[in-house]
Amino acid sequence: MPVVELEHPGRGIARLRIHRPDARNALNQEVRQLLGEHFAALSADGSVRAIILTGGDKYFAAGADIKAMAEAGAIDIMLRNTHLLWRTIAACPKPVIAAVNGYAWGGGCELAMHADMIVAGEGASFCQPEIKVGIMPGAGGTQRLTRAIGKFAAMKMLLTGLPMSAREALAAGLASEVVADELVQARALELAELIAAMPPLAVMQIKEVLLAGQDASLDTALMLERKAFQLLFASRDQKEGMQAFLEKRKPDFTGQ
Ligand code: DAK
């Protein structure tokens, strides 16, 4: 089995599953490379409407592979250019749902934060323990985490390396939903199916505007929203959605 497996659990849905159970799904260069390649391909695949990112039923990912970093020098790390692989995930225009069981630690927590929604199992935990091995987060842990849960909660996680339970993560805003461990995959799939049935252009515009707007001034962000809103009136799906409502029938969205 490859260390990242691509599955198609439903129409218009792709699921990427990290599979390195002996290393608690730690992210080595092969995993990152494959994630990057899959995300690039799925981003360009018009038939894909939602992506589930998971580590399966036991572990999401316990961070970057420490064995592959322990002896590395600064230039080795720089030349690995892993930010280019992460960037492919961040740039994915399709909605991404992280289905998290077990550890989402270090780079695993950063990976989950690249998703647009996080469905966590009761037993999941989120942690940025890099400080305990002498480093700090390098794939968004200081920035995406702070944007998600605010300065004081983020500082606590980053400076102490203490884990956050799934329930705490939900309360803090780091998870979208918490469900029983055995329901994580089913719930993620259910949400992906809901989104896959939505008009794809509206889905993409919402994701793009929300993410771009987070780092813009409110005025600029509201303008982005307004422009995207106006643009959607050029879509067939807007006509179909509103017509279907008026005719009291189910809309048939085509992505045009
Ligand atoms: N790396 C490598 N191997 C790992 C690992 C990891 N992060 N986590 C677990 N393993 C391996 C263990 O070494 C062990 O291997 P064997 O001894 O069997 O060969 C096996 O998985 C099982 O681990 P445990 O026996 O420890 O399992 P437990 O269930 O008892 O504990 C644990 C699970 C997750 C609590 C524990 O394994 C643990 O604390 N793991 C380390 C967690 C950690 O510190 N994670 C942060 C790593 S640093 C970058 C961007 C980002 C990053 C780096 C660069 N760039 C842009 C350049 C991110 C850095 C990090 O994530």
Side-chain angles (χ1 to χ4, degrees), residues 24-197:
R24 302 294 183 261
N25 283 347
L27 310 171
N28 61 9
Q29 199 63 0
E30 189 187 3
V31 172
R32 283 190 284 248
Q33 186 78 38
L34 281 173
L35 282 175
E37 285 169 16
H38 281 305
F39 268 100
L42 295 173
S43 294
D45 184 340
S47 70
V48 172
R49 297 202 175 172
I51 299 168
I52 297 172
L53 176 61
T54 188
D57 295 334
K58 285 193 169 158
Y59 324 106
F60 186 73
D65 192 318
I66 296 172
K67 288 170 194 159
M69 288 189 294
E71 299 302 326
I75 303 299
D76 300 323
I77 296 291
M78 191 178 93
L79 292 177
R80 286 179 195 175
N81 275 322
T82 53
H83 67 285
L84 298 178
L85 304 173
W86 288 103
R87 192 180 286 168
T88 309
I89 306 175
C92 178
K94 315 283 170 88
V96 179
I97 301 173
V100 178
N101 280 112
Y103 305 108
W105 284 25
C109 188
E110 292 173 307
L111 180 61
M113 288 191 290
H114 277 67
D116 304 305
M117 286 187 223
I118 297 179
V119 177
E122 291 277 2
S125 62
F126 298 82
C127 185
Q128 298 287 171
E130 289 89 344
I131 195 158
K132 292 185 174 176
V133 290
I135 57 169
M136 62 179 282
T142 60
Q143 304 308 311
R144 287 197 180 87
L145 186 66
T146 308
R147 281 163 173 72
I149 68 178
K151 171 188 160 185
F152 297 102
M155 282 286 190
K156 181 181 163 192
M157 282 180 82
L158 294 165
L159 295 176
T160 65
L162 284 170
M164 198 182 244
S165 71
R167 287 270 156 214
E168 288 168 331
L170 181 67
L174 185 52
S176 316
E177 274 191 23
V178 175
V179 297
D181 285 329
E182 61 277 16
L183 296 181
V184 169
Q185 299 299 332
R187 181 59 182 154
L189 185 55
E190 203 169 59
L191 289 170
E193 281 167 346
L194 271 176
I195 297 168

